[in-house]
Amino acid sequence: MDGKIAVVTGGSRGIGRGICLELAKRGATVIAAARNQSALEELADEAQKRELPGKIDARTLDVSDREAIDPFIEAIIEKYDRIDILVNNAGITRDGLVMSMDDDQFDDVLTTNLRSVFWLIRAVCRGMVRQRYGRIVNIGSVSGVMGNPGQANYAASKAGIIGLTKSLAKELGKRKITCNVVAPGFIATDMTAGLPEQLMTSMKSVLPLGRIGEVEEVAGVVGFLASDEASYITGQVLVVDGGLHM
């Protein structure tokens, strides 16, 4: 990925942070975007300390702010001339049962998790079409593949990403742009670290591999799909869940 320019949303922590480091390890210049600028700067410092082949350019972005998307992408293109890779990772949860879920709970998740993906892809795809090259990797979830009680809004947003990605793969394929989804299951992040031990044990008992996944295991799959090694893979949903959805 030497010389490639990559944009990763939700890059300040968890899976997004791991993806930024993975792409930088492969030689890409990674624009890590999130709302937490201090966390992004810590990430950029870590990449520098590791002496990774690529580098991380930390930039603040709230993906739910429609008016911020186009200026954000324009600024990147002005500095780097192009965008080769887009990883849509930013996402939120507002869990609750449908019978008690209000409109804001549903709309906030759909805006951050799905509408923002559409906005960002629309902003970058013209440039990718002109250069006849692009890698778009959208981070879904096993919830979007199999559903999850208490997460109707989240599952709907992630299922929507799958439909959006498959449609884009058909629209953009002739321009040598691939579009794929990586759908993680239970991954060890700050979010899962706060779960009760009993619940974690119960989760592991239903996983064929018998353990929670690691951030690096998701990031490695994203790195592969964003690379030239995956040039003949498009419109696919690669589930990284230890066999959970079987």
Side-chain angles (χ1 to χ4, degrees):
M1 289 186 185
D2 289 350
K4 292 290 193 294
I5 307 301
V7 175
V8 180
T9 66
S12 63
R13 62 191 180 94
I15 292 173
R17 187 175 186 277
I19 292 169
C20 290
L21 291 171
E22 174 66 24
L23 298 184
K25 184 175 74 175
R26 290 171 175 255
T29 295
V30 183
I31 293 84
R35 291 179 294 185
N36 189 334
Q37 182 66 21
S38 62
L40 289 172
E41 289 171 358
E42 289 175 10
L43 171 63
D45 289 343
E46 180 177 345
Q48 192 170 13
K49 288 175 184 176
R50 290 192 190 185
E51 298 182 345
L52 299 178
K55 70 172 186 176
I56 291 179
D57 179 351
R59 300 198 178 204
T60 304
L61 175 68
D62 179 356
V63 297
S64 68
D65 181 359
R66 169 66 189 90
E67 300 305 315
I69 300 294
D70 289 346
F72 173 82
I73 295 299
E74 288 166 6
I76 294 167
I77 293 173
E78 183 177 350
K79 180 174 181 179
Y80 295 105
D81 195 44
R82 69 190 192 282
I83 294 171
D84 302 298
I85 299 162
L86 172 65
V87 181
N88 286 299
N89 169 74
I92 62 170
T93 57
R94 296 286 186 270
D95 294 350
L97 298 175
V98 168
M99 68 180 71
S100 58
M101 184 178 292
D102 61 35
D103 289 354
D104 287 343
Q105 278 178 282
F106 193 87
D107 291 342
D108 288 350
V109 171
L110 265 290
T111 295
T112 300
N113 296 9
L114 181 57
R115 288 192 182 99
S116 71
V117 175
F118 164 67
W119 294 333
L120 281 155
I121 291 172
R122 184 172 61 183
V124 305
C125 70
R126 286 186 184 274
M128 289 182 173
V129 166
R130 283 195 298 270
Q131 68 196 24
R132 297 183 69 84
Y133 181 90
R135 298 283 181 268
I136 297 171
V137 183
N138 299 319
I139 305 303
S141 169
V142 69
S143 294
V145 177
M146 59 187 284
N148 199 30
Q151 286 194 317
N153 49 2
Y154 184 77
S157 71
K158 295 301 186 178
I161 283 175
I162 293 172
L164 174 62
T165 301
K166 287 178 178 290
S167 296
L168 285 164
K170 292 181 177 181
E171 287 184 18
L172 302 175
K174 290 182 180 179
R175 300 294 180 178
K176 299 182 181 178
I177 301 167
T178 65
C179 305
N180 292 288
V181 176
V182 175
F186 294 121
I187 306 298
T189 63
D190 294 343
M191 187 182 298
T192 56
L195 295 175
E197 183 61 33
Q198 185 177 358
L199 179 58
M200 293 294 285
T201 301
S202 176
M203 285 180 184
K204 292 175 186 177
S205 69
V206 300
L207 291 167
L209 292 183
R211 65 175 178 85
I212 304 299
E214 299 294 333
V215 165
E216 292 77 12
E217 292 174 306
V218 179
V221 174
V222 175
F224 166 67
L225 289 175
S227 75
D228 289 342
E229 294 172 302
S231 59
Y232 202 56
I233 300 173
T234 196
Q236 301 305 306
V237 182
L238 219 167
V239 180
V240 185
D241 71 347
L244 173 65
H245 86 290
M246 290 193 297

